[in-house]
Amino acid sequence: MNYQIRFTTAEEAVKVIKSGDHIHLSSVASAPQCLIKAMCERGAAKEFRDVHVHHLHTEGPAPYADPQFEGIFQLDSFFVGGNVRKVTQSGYADYIPIFLSETQRLYRSGAVACDVAMIQVSAPDKHGYVSLGTSVDATLAAVETADHVIAVVNKHVPRAFGDAMIHVSKIDTFVQDDTPLEEAHFTEPNATETAIGKHCAALIEDGATLQMGIGAIPNAVLAQLGGHRNLGIHTEMFADGVLPLVEKGVINGEAKNIDKGKMVSTFLMGSQKVYDFIDDNPGVLMMDVGYTNDPYVIAKNDRVTAINSALQVDLTGQVCADSLGTKFYSGVGGQIDFVYGASLSKGGKAIIAMPSVTNKGVSKIAPVLTPGAGVVTTRNHIHWFVTEHGAVDLYGKTLQERARLIISVADPSAQEELDKAAFERFGTHHHYIKGYMTK
């Protein structure tokens, strides 16, 4: 069959937006910048009001969140990325607290409306299929539920397989724009991050299936895994750090129970190398976030090892990962999806890893969380906790045992104060727990 698609301009395509509409933007590297620009030009001309914008983390500019558009656009994001952090903290934009696994359900259940989905796709193949490329996440659900779907066809969007493949019949309007995708580059791990990476890598067994978040610590962990065998990937995202391990054959997915031999992810964030790697690669499945982040799907693989970071941890093992006090910094994301999934997996390990101090030297381990801080991973969910000073297993430990173990991997300069706080909280017998320094 021959699928004829007609292209229009970005300016023409966004004329479908009307006052009160809810707009979904595809995320991370796939944010459709030409449509965003055209939409904001209409907003600046005051052609509509009260348009709600939804997305996960996006790379690149986010002009609709600017205070000048108050009353015209309202950003209600599912994750607070760096490009909208200040406007969210100042109240011009807002955040919907939600597990990453359930972002798709917001649309599919109707809890959040989707009038217009603005996405970016690869060029159509001979069968009439395009690919969502680097971001499936909640975008597939938006495509399924939106009244109107506008797709930017971009030659730089990789042709990724899995749930990323959608038929052109699902799309109402096409715009051509070959602007290269936004790239994310990560700094080389410093000494602290390398030490954390070594402690985490020591916990990873051959045959493990890995999930890691974003940034320097995951890259530091991956850099330590060259001697491992038969690792698999089932994650919400991956970046450049996995590529050398795939080339060496360390990551091959042979030990996975489901999606054997395949790397499974829902979005990507990295350099052009990563985008090239997934292009036409049957070894990578880009899947709906309702699949990648479902704890019960995650747990089907054995030895799932999930490594996530934190902003602050208290002496009972409560993990704050979304906010600095009352100021939202990021979001719930997929941390609890994978912490819980890994803990249900046979031989699985859920790891929270972070530097023991901030860049300013303030202890990130605190007697109690900063007032207003959000608990993302509860004290009931935490298992392994890692800093540059060691790794401790908190699972099955009492509050007093936990406090001793957590203090043992705190920065030495903070240990006395933390010990005093634990003493005040738990009493004199806190000091007599045996074996608390075991790592």
Side-chain angles (χ1 to χ4, degrees):
M1 292 178 74
N2 186 22
Y3 298 99
Q4 290 294 323
I5 61 174
R6 290 187 177 83
F7 287 91
T8 187
T9 62
E11 291 74 22
E12 194 65 32
V14 299
K15 284 183 180 174
V16 73
I17 300 170
K18 59 191 184 301
S19 292
D21 273 358
H22 287 253
I23 313 296
H24 173 83
L25 303 178
S26 54
S27 58
V28 198
S30 283
Q33 293 296 342
C34 67
L35 297 180
I36 291 169
K37 182 169 176 282
M39 178 180 75
C40 288
E41 283 168 0
R42 282 196 68 202
K46 296 191 165 68
E47 292 182 24
F48 46 60
R49 287 188 61 78
D50 300 322
V51 169
H52 293 259
V53 178
H54 306 289
H55 56 66
L56 284 87
H57 170 86
T58 61
E59 291 285 299
Y64 45 83
D66 194 277
Q68 75 180 62
F69 287 119
E70 191 170 19
I72 296 167
F73 294 115
Q74 171 60 42
L75 171 62
D76 299 324
S77 66
F78 303 150
F79 188 89
V80 182
N83 56 352
V84 296
R85 190 169 291 141
K86 281 185 180 168
V87 288
T88 303
Q89 290 176 351
S90 60
Y92 289 104
D94 211 342
Y95 162 64
I96 298 173
I98 187 79
F99 295 125
L100 194 61
S101 59
E102 293 187 22
T103 53
Q104 48 77 32
R105 190 187 292 177
L106 291 176
Y107 290 137
R108 288 180 173 133
S109 71
V112 171
C114 188
D115 298 292
V116 182
M118 304 206 304
I119 66 174
Q120 194 156 213
V121 299
S122 66
D125 65 18
K126 64 183 180 182
H127 302 291
Y129 282 86
V130 295
S131 176
L132 293 169
T134 59
S135 285
V136 179
D137 45 67
T139 297
L140 182 62
V143 168
E144 290 171 4
T145 56
D147 296 331
H148 197 94
V149 179
I150 307 171
V152 175
V153 177
N154 185 335
K155 69 180 184 183
H156 297 289
V157 172
R159 187 170 174 267
F161 296 119
D163 291 337
M165 283 288 180
I166 59 172
H167 196 265
V168 292
S169 60
K170 308 280 185 200
I171 297 163
D172 300 291
T173 307
F174 295 87
V175 174
Q176 184 80 42
D177 182 62
D178 290 327
T179 304
L181 300 184
E182 293 279 344
E183 293 183 70
H185 297 283
F186 304 104
T187 55
E188 284 296 307
N190 61 28
T192 298
E193 290 152 353
T194 299
I196 293 168
K198 286 179 178 172
H199 291 308
C200 291
L203 295 172
I204 297 171
E205 299 172 42
D206 288 343
T209 294
L210 303 181
Q211 175 265 333
M212 297 184 196
I214 295 167
I217 289 174
N219 287 343
V221 177
L222 291 163
Q224 307 291 331
L225 299 178
H228 278 63
R229 298 176 58 207
N230 298 332
L231 298 179
I233 298 288
H234 181 111
T235 186
E236 64 196 27
M237 66 82 59
F238 64 82
D240 294 59
V242 302
L243 301 185
L245 296 175
V246 175
E247 286 162 16
K248 282 184 188 170
V250 172
I251 291 174
N252 58 23
E254 289 301 314
K256 292 174 77 178
N257 297 330
I258 59 166
D259 304 314
K260 198 179 185 71
K262 310 281 188 187
M263 296 171 66
V264 174
S265 186
T266 194
F267 69 88
L268 298 179
M269 191 166 138
S271 73
Q272 187 61 43
K273 279 186 188 171
V274 177
Y275 309 152
D276 292 343
F277 171 71
I278 70 163
D279 184 47
D280 259 332
N281 185 347
V284 179
L285 297 179
M286 296 299 292
M287 301 298 284
D288 189 291
V289 72
Y291 178 79
T292 60
N293 283 53
D294 181 333
Y296 297 99
V297 171
I298 293 163
K300 286 181 181 178
N301 282 311
D302 296 341
R303 296 179 294 278
V304 173
T305 307
I307 301 171
N308 289 278
S309 60
L311 296 169
Q312 193 179 44
V313 172
D314 78 2
L315 291 180
T316 69
Q318 293 192 113
V319 178
C320 171
D322 64 353
S323 54
L324 297 167
T326 57
K327 297 284 186 191
F328 273 89
Y329 184 81
S330 53
V332 173
Q335 181 171 121
I336 200 70
D337 297 331
F338 276 93
V339 164
Y340 191 46
S343 69
L344 295 175
S345 160
K346 184 181 177 184
K349 290 178 183 148
I351 301 168
I352 299 293
M354 71 174 193
S356 64
V357 294
T358 67
N359 294 337
K360 294 177 179 173
V362 177
S363 178
K364 294 178 71 164
I365 296 170
V368 294
L369 296 180
T370 304
V375 177
V376 170
T377 293
T378 74
R379 59 171 75 103
N380 320 306
H381 286 99
I382 194 168
H383 284 227
W384 285 91
F385 177 53
V386 176
T387 73
E388 70 273 26
H389 301 295
V392 290
D393 186 4
L394 306 179
Y395 189 62
K397 303 296 192 296
T398 67
L399 293 171
Q400 294 179 41
E401 288 173 318
R402 281 168 178 239
R404 297 304 286 173
L405 288 166
I406 290 168
I407 292 167
S408 77
V409 295
D411 190 78
S413 67
Q415 287 185 351
E416 189 178 340
E417 190 181 330
L418 291 168
D419 205 43
K420 186 176 172 223
F423 176 80
E424 289 171 359
R425 184 166 184 170
F426 299 119
T428 52
H429 46 286
H430 164 68
H431 284 276
Y432 297 104
I433 294 163
K434 298 191 189 309
Y436 65 82
M437 289 299 276
T438 308
K439 294 184 188 177

